Amino acid sequence: MGFRVSFVIDLNSLNPQQREAVTTIRGPVMILAGAGTGKTRVITYRVANLIENGVPPWKILAVTFTNKAAREMQERVAALVPRDSCKNEDGKVQRPTICTFHSLCVRILRRYIDRLGYKNNFVIYDESDQLGVVRKIVSHIHAEGEKLDPKAIHALMSKYKNNGRDAFLNQPESLIVFTEHVQRLYESALKAYNAVDFDDIILLVLKLFNEHSDALEDCRRRYQYIMVDEYQDTNSSQFQLVNLLAGEHRNLCVVGDDDQSIYGWRGAQISNLLDLEKFYPEVKIVKLEQNYRSTNIILKAANKVIQKNVRRRVKNLWSEQETGELIKLATYDNAEEEAQGVVDQIEMDRINGVPWQKQAILFRTNQQSRPIETALRKTKIRYNLIGGQSFFDRSEIRDLLAYIKTLINPNDDINLLRIANTPPRGLSDVSMERLLGISQEKNKSVFGVMGDDALLEPFFQRTKLSIKNFHELITSTRNMLMAKEVGFQLSDWLDGFLDDQGLYNYIRRVEKTAEAGDMKISNIRQMLKDLEPYTTKHSPMEALQEFLEEITLDNEFGEEEKDQKDKAVTLITMHSCKGLEYPYVHIVGLEEGILPHNRSKLEGTLDEERRLFYVAITRAKEVLYLSHCTSRRQYGQLMPCHPSQFLLEIPQELVERSDVFMRAVPTQETAQNIFDNIFSQLS
C-alpha cells in the first residue's frame, strides 16, 4: 500500500448504529444522522477506520460545506490517525483530503484549468467583485422599457448557474433574455480578467470533466473513497460532481438528515438524499437516532412536529437522558412585550444560576432582532448577534483585499479600479472612465492600456505621468514579490507598503474622528496579522494567493469568525443555528406569516418551514421557551397575528402555558434559593 498502519481505533465508544456506519467501508452507504446523534464523530471515525483497514489516506476524500466544519474534521482525524500512518512510499505525509466542495474544486482547477483556456494563477471573485462586473456590463446596455437592477440580475444569474433554467420560473421573458445576454458578456469579461466567480468554481470542474475525460480519470484514481457531509444540502451541480467522481468505484458514503434540509432557497435539493437509490440501488442505509443533546420532552416535541411532513426518511429521535422540563409557551400582546418577557426570563434564569452564555434567542427573520436587542441593552445584558455586517465587507478591508488581488493579477479591472486612486494619485474618476473605455474598445485590460504609451496619447501630460507611475508601482512591486523567497515577512512589508502609499494618512483625513480612523487602520493591521502563518511555507505570491482563496471561500458562506464573547446571550436566525446547540433556547415570533413565512404558501415550501422549526427545537439541550404575539407592527401599523400552525403540532401534554410564569410571586423557598444564588455569585 505504500504506507504503514500503526494504530487501532476504539470502536467500543460508539453505539451499535454508529459502529455499523463506521465499519461499512465498501460500496455506497447512506448515514441518516438525526439532530444531535454524533454525526461528526461517525465521519471522523469512519475515515480513521478506512485507513486502519488498508485504504491509503491520500485516496480518501471527505467533503463538507464550511471551512469551519472541514477544519474540525481535520483536527479530529489527526487526533485519531498518527502521522506515521499517513506516509507514502517516499516517506512524505499525505493525509486524507478533507475540505469544502469549493476548496476541492479550486484544487482541481489549479491543476487542470489551462485546458479550459485560463491561466493557473486565476483569481476568485467574491460577491462584491462579481457585482462590480455586472454593474459595468449593465451600464453599457440600454434596454428600452427595462428598469435595470444589477443586484437583481446578479442574483438571478447566480441561481441560474446553480439550478439551470428552473431559476427563471415565473420570471418575465424579457428579463430572462436580458439576463442570459448579461451572463454571456459576464463570462467573457471574467475570462479576459483570468478570473472565476464563486459559482463558476464547481461548474468549471463539471465542464472540465465532461470535456477532458483524462482529468476525470486522474481524479477518480486520486479519490477512491468519498464521503459527503450534509448531503441534504447539496445542489444540482454538487450532486453531478459527486456522481462523476464516485460513479465508477461507487465507494460513496453520504451523511445527512432530510429533516434538516432548510436551504432550498439557495439551491439545495432534498431529492438528492431522498432519491439516492435511483442512482445507487445497492446503497446500505444506516439510521442514527440516539440523540446525545436534548431531553426526551424536547425530542418528543420535535418528532411529532416533523412527522407531519409526508415525504421524508422516517426517523425517531430518542435519548437515554432524563425526561426534562416541559416546554414553556408564552403569548404576548406585541413584539416589544415579547422581547421584554424573554429578557426578563433570561434575568430570572441568571438569578437562579444560569449564565448568559447558556442562553440563545432564535428568530425567523433578521428584522425580529431589533426589539430584542433594545430590551437586552435596556436591561444591560451582553449579547452576541450572529450576522450583521461582515468584517470583510468593511471598506478598509475591501481596499486591502483589492491591493492584494491587484498585485496577484493586475489585469483584474474591478480591483485595480478600486485602488488606482485610493489614496488619491491624480487619477480622477473621469480619467479612469476614459481608461476603461479604451480598454473595452481595444479589448485589453485597464492595466494593459496603462502600459501602452500609444494609447495614453489623448491624456494630459500630468495625468499620463500619474498613470505611468501607478503602472510602474504595480509592476515593480509584483517583480519584487516574485523575487522574494519563503519566509519573507510579508505582513510587515504590506503594512509598510500601505503606509508609504499614504493609505493610512488618507483614512485619517477622511474619517470624521481620529478614533474612527485609528479603528480602520487597526482593522487592516489585524487582517495583515492573519497573513503571517502563510509566509513560513510559501513564497510571497503563493502566500498571498492561498490567503486570498481562504478568505474568499470562508466569506462566501458568511463564515466570519464568531468568537463569541464570554458571558453573552446569543441572538441568531433559525437558518444560521443549524449545527449549534444551547442549554436554554428561546424561539420567538411563532406566528402565521413569520413561521411559516407568508412566501411558503405561495411557493409550496411549507414542509421546509416545518423543517426549520424542527431544527430550531433540536438546538435546545435542557429548556425550551416558545412565544408568539397577538399583534405585531407591520408597515407602521399594529396588525393582528395568529399563532403558528406548527404550535398545534406539539402534543399539549409536553407544553406548559407560561404567560404569567415570569410575574408569579416566588414562594419563600424559591426566594431563599434565589438569594443563595445571588450571594454565591458575589462571593
Side-chain angles (χ1 to χ4, degrees):
M1 287 294 181
F3 73 104
R4 178 172 56 86
V5 176
S6 59
F7 70 100
V8 177
I9 61 171
D10 179 16
L11 299 179
N12 293 325
S13 61
L14 306 174
N15 67 40
Q17 291 74 32
Q18 290 176 329
R19 199 153 47 243
E20 183 181 13
V22 166
T23 55
T24 306
I25 60 177
R26 310 280 185 223
V29 182
M30 179 195 298
I31 302 173
L32 292 173
T37 56
K39 169 176 67 74
T40 305
R41 181 179 179 82
V42 168
I43 294 172
T44 51
Y45 266 72
R46 193 173 188 278
V47 171
N49 188 60
L50 283 168
I51 298 171
E52 184 186 340
N53 280 272
V55 176
W58 49 90
K59 293 186 179 293
I60 299 172
L61 169 66
V63 189
T64 188
F65 277 85
T66 68
N67 283 298
K68 181 180 177 183
R71 284 191 289 267
E72 182 182 355
M73 286 184 197
Q74 289 167 356
E75 290 167 2
R76 291 201 191 187
V77 169
L80 289 170
V81 181
R83 280 175 56 87
D84 285 349
S85 293
C86 295
K87 288 183 177 178
N88 61 18
E89 292 177 346
D90 299 326
K92 182 181 177 182
V93 174
Q94 283 188 282
R95 289 196 174 275
T97 302
I98 302 174
C99 60
T100 66
F101 274 102
H102 289 84
S103 294
L104 169 67
C105 289
V106 168
R107 294 180 189 207
I108 294 171
L109 291 175
R110 287 289 174 212
R111 178 175 293 185
Y112 302 107
I113 200 170
D114 59 315
R115 303 185 188 191
L116 299 177
Y118 293 81
K119 296 176 183 176
N120 293 94
N121 68 335
F122 64 86
V123 293
I124 303 169
Y125 272 13
D126 62 15
E127 187 173 346
S128 176
D129 299 325
Q130 296 163 30
L131 189 55
V133 178
V134 173
R135 280 202 179 102
K136 178 179 170 183
I137 293 169
V138 169
S139 68
H140 288 83
I141 298 176
H142 301 284
E144 259 184 65
E146 291 285 355
K147 186 176 181 181
L148 306 178
D149 182 350
K151 283 188 178 180
I153 291 167
H154 175 249
L156 195 56
M157 285 167 53
S158 183
K159 289 179 183 177
Y160 173 66
K161 286 185 178 184
N162 284 303
N163 300 304
R165 289 191 66 85
D166 287 348
F168 290 149
L169 291 176
N170 304 318
Q171 299 289 350
E173 184 64 26
S174 58
L175 180 61
I176 295 173
V177 172
F178 182 77
T179 302
E180 288 180 326
H181 180 50
V182 173
Q183 177 70 34
R184 288 190 293 272
L185 294 174
Y186 175 82
E187 289 173 356
S188 177
L190 259 65
K191 198 160 189 179
Y193 303 154
N194 197 38
V196 299
D197 77 14
F198 192 77
D199 295 316
D200 279 337
I201 292 172
I202 294 178
L203 296 176
L204 283 171
V205 171
L206 294 178
K207 180 178 171 68
L208 172 74
F209 285 167
N210 287 322
E211 296 179 2
H212 301 274
S213 58
D214 59 326
L216 174 59
E217 290 306 315
D218 283 350
C219 291
R220 282 176 172 172
R221 283 192 294 271
R222 172 74 174 83
Y223 304 119
Q224 294 189 10
Y225 292 82
I226 299 174
M227 300 181 67
V228 185
D229 188 20
E230 303 287 9
Y231 192 68
Q232 77 282 346
D233 293 336
T234 53
N235 61 27
S236 175
S237 301
Q238 291 157 342
F239 178 75
Q240 291 177 57
L241 175 66
V242 170
N243 278 348
L244 281 170
L245 288 173
E248 188 174 89
H249 56 64
R250 305 185 80 74
N251 292 320
L252 172 65
C253 174
V254 302
V255 186
D257 180 8
D258 51 310
D259 291 336
Q260 296 186 72
S261 179
I262 59 174
Y263 299 123
W265 50 275
R266 72 181 186 198
Q269 297 181 340
I270 192 173
S271 59
N272 292 347
L273 188 143
L274 292 176
D275 300 334
L276 189 67
E277 288 92 335
K278 291 181 181 178
F279 300 89
Y280 299 87
E282 74 275 33
V283 66
K284 179 173 184 177
I285 300 175
V286 181
K287 293 183 182 180
L288 305 183
E289 298 172 296
Q290 183 175 354
N291 178 282
Y292 294 91
R293 176 187 296 155
S294 307
T295 66
N296 276 295
I297 288 283
I298 293 169
L299 295 179
K300 285 178 182 178
N303 287 332
K304 284 295 183 182
V305 167
I306 204 62
Q307 283 171 15
K308 295 291 182 179
N309 279 0
V310 177
R311 191 164 185 257
R312 61 182 288 264
R313 303 266 183 179
V314 177
K315 295 175 290 299
N316 192 60
L317 296 181
W318 61 277
S319 174
E320 291 182 345
Q321 297 187 60
E322 60 186 19
T323 301
E325 295 186 26
L326 291 174
I327 296 167
K328 278 75 173 174
L329 174 62
T331 303
Y332 297 96
D333 289 340
N334 53 56
E336 285 69 30
E337 281 200 12
E338 179 185 46
Q340 193 58 55
V342 169
V343 169
D344 288 346
Q345 181 58 49
I346 289 172
E347 273 300 88
M348 181 64 74
D349 288 337
R350 185 184 65 82
I351 291 171
N352 281 301
V354 180
W356 288 336
Q357 62 265 33
K358 287 191 175 184
Q359 303 269 6
I361 306 172
L362 278 54
F363 38 85
R364 174 65 175 81
T365 65
N366 282 308
Q367 291 89 333
Q368 290 173 261
S369 74
R370 186 199 55 77
I372 298 169
E373 289 189 73
T374 300
L376 288 164
R377 288 171 183 268
K378 179 181 173 184
T379 315
K380 292 184 170 51
I381 294 178
R382 286 189 293 275
Y383 68 90
N384 178 35
L385 174 64
I386 295 184
Q389 187 188 30
S390 166
F391 180 79
F392 302 99
D393 286 335
R394 296 172 183 176
S395 61
E396 67 274 18
I397 299 302
R398 299 214 67 85
D399 289 340
L400 168 62
L401 295 180
Y403 267 100
I404 293 174
K405 290 176 182 180
T406 302
L407 290 173
I408 291 173
N409 177 13
N411 294 311
D412 171 2
D413 283 356
I414 299 300
N415 287 291
L416 181 137
L417 291 172
R418 182 181 182 98
I419 66 161
N421 210 42
T422 304
R425 295 185 176 87
L427 298 173
S428 67
D429 290 344
V430 173
S431 298
M432 297 312 297
E433 284 176 17
R434 290 181 67 189
L435 284 168
L436 194 55
I438 296 170
S439 76
Q440 290 168 341
E441 180 187 338
K442 300 297 182 182
N443 196 27
K444 298 181 73 168
S445 68
V446 172
F447 188 75
V449 173
M450 287 179 161
D452 190 331
D453 288 345
L455 295 177
L456 298 182
E457 280 305 314
F459 290 87
F460 291 120
Q461 189 61 35
R462 183 183 298 176
T463 304
K464 194 187 303 183
L465 182 60
S466 296
I467 293 171
K468 288 186 173 183
N469 286 342
F470 179 74
H471 186 272
E472 173 57 24
L473 169 71
I474 299 301
T475 302
S476 60
T477 304
R478 278 173 48 79
N479 290 338
M480 183 275 293
L481 288 174
M482 287 188 284
K484 296 291 183 181
E485 297 181 356
V486 176
F488 175 64
Q489 289 300 315
L490 190 55
S491 56
D492 290 342
W493 175 84
L494 262 174
D495 186 37
F497 173 76
L498 296 174
D499 197 12
D500 290 341
Q501 292 307 304
L503 180 63
Y504 295 162
N505 284 335
Y506 172 66
I507 289 173
R508 292 187 182 100
R509 278 201 315 273
V510 298
E511 287 303 315
K512 292 182 180 178
T513 65
E515 292 79 5
D518 289 341
M519 180 59 72
K520 287 198 167 191
I521 295 167
S522 174
N523 288 339
I524 292 174
R525 285 176 167 154
Q526 180 183 333
M527 182 69 125
L528 290 175
K529 284 288 182 187
D530 294 339
L531 249 176
E532 290 179 358
Y534 298 85
T535 60
T536 60
K537 54 181 181 177
H538 295 294
S539 66
M541 275 300 186
E542 289 174 329
L544 287 175
Q545 196 161 1
E546 186 173 336
F547 173 68
L548 196 59
E549 278 176 12
E550 289 207 9
I551 288 172
T552 305
L553 296 178
D554 272 345
N555 201 31
E556 275 300 326
F557 277 96
E559 222 181 295
E560 57 185 294
E561 288 300 317
K562 298 179 180 71
D563 295 329
Q564 298 186 19
K565 297 175 184 177
D566 290 340
K567 300 181 180 178
V569 175
T570 297
L571 273 62
I572 188 170
T573 66
M574 296 180 193
H575 280 103
S576 299
C577 73
K578 189 165 169 289
L580 303 176
E581 59 184 41
Y582 307 92
Y584 287 66
V585 168
H586 304 255
I587 306 177
V588 301
L590 292 171
E591 299 139 30
E592 290 292 303
I594 296 180
L595 190 74
H597 199 278
N598 280 326
R599 285 197 309 269
S600 64
K601 295 172 184 176
L602 298 172
E603 299 172 353
T605 55
L606 185 64
D607 282 4
E608 181 159 320
E609 290 290 289
R610 185 178 283 110
R611 293 194 292 269
L612 187 58
F613 186 40
Y614 170 83
V615 166
I617 290 173
T618 53
R619 300 311 95 196
K621 296 172 68 175
E622 300 172 22
V623 180
L624 177 60
Y625 298 97
L626 309 177
S627 62
H628 66 95
C629 300
T630 58
S631 63
R632 192 174 289 271
R633 195 167 294 280
Q634 298 178 30
Y635 308 110
Q637 295 193 4
L638 207 58
M639 306 293 289
C641 298
H642 303 284
S644 169
Q645 58 188 284
F646 299 152
L647 288 174
L648 302 177
E649 297 170 1
I650 300 176
Q652 291 305 298
E653 65 268 19
L654 304 179
V655 177
E656 172 188 359
R657 295 292 310 188
S658 54
D659 305 72
V660 295
F661 74 93
M662 273 302 310
R663 301 170 181 82
V665 177
T667 63
Q668 184 173 353
E669 181 182 358
T670 302
Q672 186 59 52
N673 288 336
I674 290 172
F675 284 121
D676 289 343
N677 271 302
I678 292 174
F679 287 125
S680 69
Q681 291 176 40
L682 292 174
S683 61

